[in-house]
Amino acid sequence: MNFAVLVFPGSNCDIDLYKAIEDTIGQPVDYVWHTDGDLSKYDCILVPGGFSYGDYLRCGAIAQFTNVMKAVVKAAEEGKYILGICNGFQVLTEARLLPGALLRNNGMKFRCHQALLRVENNTTAFTRDYAEGELINIPIAHGEGNYYCDEETLKELQENNQIVFRYEAGNNPNGSLDDIAGISNRAGNVVGMMPHPERAVHEILGSADGKRMFTSILSAWREKHDAAAIR
Amino acid sequence: MKATVYVTIKQNVLDVQGTAVQGALHSMGFEEVGKVRIGKYLELELGTTDRAEAETRVKAMCEKLLANTVIEDYRYELV
């Protein structure tokens, strides 16, 4: 299975994501520069955290018009797996691959600490190795992670089971609507989340709970391609 | 021709910056200040003198890039 890690000017979690793929599932992974318009050889595209284009104007706003994002839109339509983390989540909402937008944290602070997430939907390709309702420990690091959408969109997200992760009840760090930490598109192949699973792939990092996101993706892909499931 | 564009957070969306500035003004004794909203002001120099064309183009710029209409409103003036 081939993984792409996109790199925009200002991306700063690209290396973490690359290493997380290498260390957790040992699959081929490439950095793909923002000017590259061909993602045809990749099965999963990872949009990393950071500050694409310095987050000038708005978080993720400028990145959406790059060559590589045009290829991401095409890959999403083809049903490939796409995961946006932190700034990557912001880029995916700006590109309208995911609904809603990310506002400044309601507490006005940049929040950088471990956060407990509840796995709300374990039927996605990204979460199948978790149990439904399981609490996992994944770090956050963001100033603009306050998820917002209108009432109608929220109802759709709830009814279609598109809320993938919620912050543990009573511990919402940023004011996100309905405690949302991560969502998927309607088809389920595009997921965006503010917390950083790539920073939680080993106990020495404080938690290894992020590891199963990557094993989930590989086992979902292998199942689709009739290969043996990952052990 | 020049366009001035104002982008503001929608009225029903929390404006964290505005709330912080409101708090600062109150603590300085300017208690008469109600809600504060903070937005962006952009000046665009346009290479056209055709008003109708400029209007169409500026509107497209706002919709595509300058404002995120999920959370922001925009207005513009041509001068």
Side-chain angles (χ1 to χ4, degrees):
Chain A
M1 183 180 185
N2 291 310
F3 285 80
V5 173
L6 306 190
V7 185
F8 299 101
S11 296
N12 65 14
C13 296
D14 42 348
I15 300 174
D16 308 50
L17 257 179
Y18 187 103
K19 296 284 179 198
I21 296 296
E22 271 191 331
D23 293 351
T24 58
I25 50 176
Q27 295 297 299
V29 51
D30 290 330
Y31 293 115
V32 178
W33 190 233
H34 61 113
T35 51
D36 196 336
D38 182 11
L39 290 169
S40 55
K41 72 174 267 203
Y42 301 105
D43 307 298
C44 178
I45 294 142
L46 304 167
V47 194
F51 298 87
S52 56
Y53 295 88
D55 276 352
Y56 290 132
L57 191 67
R58 282 188 317 279
C59 302
I62 297 177
Q64 66 176 304
F65 298 105
T66 53
N67 274 345
V68 86
M69 281 308 296
K70 287 185 191 117
V72 171
V73 171
K74 191 164 160 263
E77 285 164 3
E78 289 166 356
K80 289 185 177 180
Y81 302 137
I82 293 160
L83 174 63
I85 297 168
C86 201
N87 189 241
F89 184 17
Q90 294 161 343
V91 173
L92 294 180
T93 59
E94 283 286 339
R96 300 288 199 266
L97 286 171
L98 291 170
L102 283 309
L103 296 164
R104 291 229 178 174
N105 295 349
N106 68 340
M108 304 176 200
K109 282 182 184 158
F110 187 98
R111 301 291 300 262
C112 183
H113 53 74
Q114 296 292 127
L116 280 177
L117 309 185
R118 187 176 298 277
V119 180
E120 298 289 357
N121 181 353
N122 72 336
T123 65
T124 76
F126 307 85
T127 52
R128 54 191 280 159
D129 287 352
Y130 296 108
E132 192 185 322
E134 185 180 348
L135 279 180
I136 57 172
N137 190 12
I138 306 281
I140 59 162
H142 58 246
E144 308 201 16
N146 179 351
Y147 182 80
Y148 173 84
C149 63
D150 61 31
E151 270 177 43
E152 199 184 320
T153 309
L154 179 63
K155 212 168 144 228
E156 274 175 34
L157 290 175
Q158 291 164 341
E159 284 172 0
N160 301 326
N161 207 13
Q162 285 172 254
I163 299 169
V164 181
F165 298 110
R166 280 195 175 93
Y167 298 106
E168 186 200 24
N171 289 285
N172 182 334
N174 52 37
S176 270
L177 201 63
D178 203 20
D179 296 334
I180 287 173
I183 56 167
S184 76
N185 64 346
R186 185 84 190 252
N189 65 315
V190 181
V191 162
M193 61 193 295
M194 286 314 295
H196 287 271
E198 81 282 14
R199 294 187 187 175
V201 293
H202 198 284
E203 289 302 340
I204 57 169
L205 297 174
S207 166
D209 286 349
K211 201 170 168 177
R212 279 178 287 160
M213 280 205 77
F214 303 107
T215 57
S216 292
I217 298 169
L218 181 59
S219 71
W221 184 84
R222 283 189 168 164
E223 192 175 278
K224 218 168 144 185
H225 292 81
D226 277 341
I230 186 169
R231 306 244 175 256
Chain B
M1 190 173 281
K2 212 168 86 175
T4 53
V5 179
Y6 304 85
V7 179
T8 47
I9 295 265
K10 281 182 193 289
Q11 283 300 325
N12 59 347
V13 175
L14 176 71
D15 180 347
V16 176
Q17 275 180 296
T19 309
V21 171
Q22 182 194 34
L25 288 171
H26 284 181
S27 69
M28 292 161 74
F30 299 107
E31 276 111 12
E32 70 273 28
V33 178
K35 205 159 141 185
V36 177
R37 312 288 294 175
I38 294 187
K40 295 183 190 109
Y41 166 76
L42 300 95
E43 283 182 359
L44 313 176
E45 276 181 26
L46 307 173
T48 180
T49 50
D50 182 333
R51 210 178 165 79
E53 189 203 343
E55 194 145 333
T56 314
R57 303 279 291 173
V58 170
K59 200 163 175 221
M61 291 176 210
C62 290
E63 294 279 340
K64 281 186 180 168
L65 176 67
L66 303 181
N68 177 345
T69 52
V70 176
I71 45 171
E72 291 170 329
D73 291 322
Y74 67 87
R75 64 188 172 85
Y76 57 85
E77 289 157 11
L78 296 173
V79 284

